[in-house]
Amino acid sequence: MYKALNCAIIALGVGGACVAAAGPASAQIGISLDVGSIAFGYQDGYWDRDHHWHHWRSRHEANYYRNSPGNHYRSYRHDRNGSDGWQRMNDAAIDGSLGLSVNVGDVAFGYQDGYWDRGHQWHAWRNDREMREYRNAPGNQYSDWRHDRDGDQGWRSVAFNVGDVASGYQDGYWDRSHQWHPWRSDQEMRDYRNAPGNQYSDWRHDRDSDQNGHGLTINVGDVAFGYQDGYWDRSHQWHAWRNEQEMRDYRNSPGNQYSDWRHDRDSDQGWRGLTINVGDVAFGYQDGYWDHAHQWHQWRNEQEMRDYRNAPGSQYNDYRHDRDNDQGWRR
């Protein structure tokens, strides 16, 4: 899937001169760039995969894309060629451009001659290079034969997102809204069982007295703080765990905010003041933060600022935002 990547840069002087670097959290600022959405990059900008032209917002953005894995960067201006740098299929074959324009996660099943997307639409590969790139991509669902070899034209009935499944079994699965679904085919069950990140148990779901005794039905990212007896969500609502297994599943999940005591041990009932999603913050400062919509927010309390400052992936600068001429909004 596409991944939005951040590049940290360090402010070097009052004039705002910067260089791309890895630096301490107190000096980090962010560049948000969806590398996977770029078809072709040049010195002066890039074409996205919908054939729209964009100028780089800064030289740091251009440098970051140029150094990113899988980039399609050309070290010259896009208008050097008659096509304004948009590489057609034949051009790609000649000069080695890659040309993969599909999101791997959007492909249900890939074959030698094309792929089915998750909306059950068929697409022929635009060129052999695109097919090979998908075939070699992590998480692909590629079969090395033509799709019409199979009676169903290669559509194998899986139409769900692995992350939407709370618990899978031999005979079906619970989604995260606690709805039961039988597998539509054995292939769908096998596809889920073999998928990275699955929550599969190799028995029928009715083996357990609760028909699903160990189902985590919450999104880990929705939990602000978890405790032995329940959790606060990011809207400041308290939830008791539905069972011990749910608590253990959350406690063992990557990215959890779990504390191994009851929430009422603390005077604030375990709510530690963080009400923001770290990924929603463009740049954080001592006195507040800019969100990605260019709206300014003051921290509601010191703890919220500290929680953000210490969070993985924060874009925190340890000074007031008005120290800079642009009020801390980094272009």
Side-chain angles (χ1 to χ4, degrees):
M1 297 191 172
Y2 295 152
K3 184 180 291 182
L5 301 177
N6 288 326
C7 174
I9 64 172
I10 302 178
L12 292 182
V14 175
C18 303
V19 293
S26 62
Q28 287 182 346
I29 61 176
I31 291 176
S32 290
L33 184 67
D34 186 353
V35 172
S37 69
I38 297 177
F40 312 107
Y42 296 89
Q43 288 176 343
D44 54 335
Y46 65 93
W47 290 105
D48 66 26
R49 294 190 180 278
D50 294 324
H51 204 159
H52 295 106
W53 175 255
H54 306 265
H55 291 287
W56 301 116
R57 293 179 297 173
S58 69
R59 64 184 178 86
H60 309 295
E61 191 173 56
N63 290 339
Y64 189 71
Y65 176 72
R66 185 183 63 192
N67 295 326
S68 297
N71 73 79
H72 303 156
Y73 185 82
R74 298 288 177 270
S75 190
Y76 47 82
R77 291 179 58 87
H78 78 293
D79 54 7
R80 191 185 81 169
N81 299 324
S83 63
D84 280 337
W86 179 262
Q87 303 292 334
R88 299 295 183 179
M89 176 177 170
N90 290 339
D91 299 326
I94 292 170
D95 73 1
S97 299
L98 300 183
L100 180 64
S101 62
V102 295
N103 182 337
V104 173
D106 292 338
V107 176
F109 313 106
Y111 296 89
Q112 288 175 348
D113 54 335
Y115 66 94
W116 291 106
D117 66 25
R118 293 192 178 275
H120 205 158
Q121 301 295 312
W122 174 256
H123 306 265
W125 301 116
R126 296 187 305 160
N127 50 60
D128 286 344
R129 185 79 183 210
E130 188 173 60
M131 179 273 287
R132 289 194 296 270
E133 280 205 332
Y134 176 74
R135 183 185 64 193
N136 297 330
N140 73 77
Q141 297 291 325
Y142 182 80
S143 299
D144 202 18
W145 58 79
R146 291 179 58 88
H147 78 291
D148 53 8
R149 191 192 81 168
D150 303 322
D152 60 359
Q153 298 292 301
W155 178 262
R156 299 199 303 266
S157 297
V158 65
F160 62 89
N161 186 330
V162 172
D164 293 337
V165 177
S167 309
Y169 297 87
Q170 288 175 347
D171 54 336
Y173 66 94
W174 291 104
D175 65 26
R176 293 191 179 276
S177 299
H178 208 165
Q179 302 294 313
W180 174 255
H181 306 266
W183 302 115
R184 294 185 301 169
S185 66
D186 286 344
Q187 185 63 49
E188 189 173 60
M189 180 272 287
R190 288 193 294 270
D191 283 342
Y192 176 73
R193 183 186 63 193
N194 296 330
N198 73 75
Q199 298 291 325
Y200 182 80
S201 299
D202 202 19
W203 59 78
R204 292 178 56 87
H205 79 291
D206 53 9
R207 191 189 82 167
D208 302 319
S209 59
D210 62 357
Q211 303 289 297
N212 180 19
H214 58 276
L216 179 65
T217 60
I218 57 172
N219 185 332
V220 172
D222 292 337
V223 177
F225 312 107
Y227 296 88
Q228 289 175 346
D229 54 336
Y231 66 94
W232 290 107
D233 66 26
R234 292 190 177 275
S235 300
H236 205 159
Q237 301 295 313
W238 174 256
H239 305 265
W241 302 115
R242 296 186 309 156
N243 49 59
E244 286 290 315
Q245 185 65 46
E246 187 173 60
M247 180 272 286
R248 289 193 293 270
D249 283 343
Y250 176 74
R251 183 185 64 194
N252 297 330
S253 297
N256 74 77
Q257 297 290 326
Y258 182 80
S259 300
D260 203 18
W261 58 79
R262 291 179 56 89
H263 78 291
D264 53 8
R265 190 191 81 169
D266 303 321
S267 58
D268 60 359
Q269 298 293 299
W271 179 261
R272 301 199 298 266
L274 180 63
T275 59
I276 58 171
N277 184 333
V278 172
D280 292 336
V281 177
F283 315 110
Y285 296 89
Q286 288 175 348
D287 54 336
Y289 66 94
W290 291 106
D291 64 26
H292 284 286
H294 205 159
Q295 301 294 313
W296 174 254
H297 305 265
Q298 291 181 319
W299 303 116
R300 297 189 308 160
N301 51 56
E302 287 290 316
Q303 184 65 47
E304 188 173 60
M305 180 273 286
R306 288 193 294 271
D307 283 340
Y308 176 74
R309 182 186 64 195
N310 298 330
S314 76
Q315 297 294 327
Y316 182 79
N317 301 281
D318 202 17
Y319 46 84
R320 292 178 57 88
H321 79 293
D322 54 7
R323 190 190 81 170
D324 302 322
N325 293 333
D326 59 1
Q327 299 292 299
W329 178 260
R330 308 290 182 177
R331 295 294 179 182

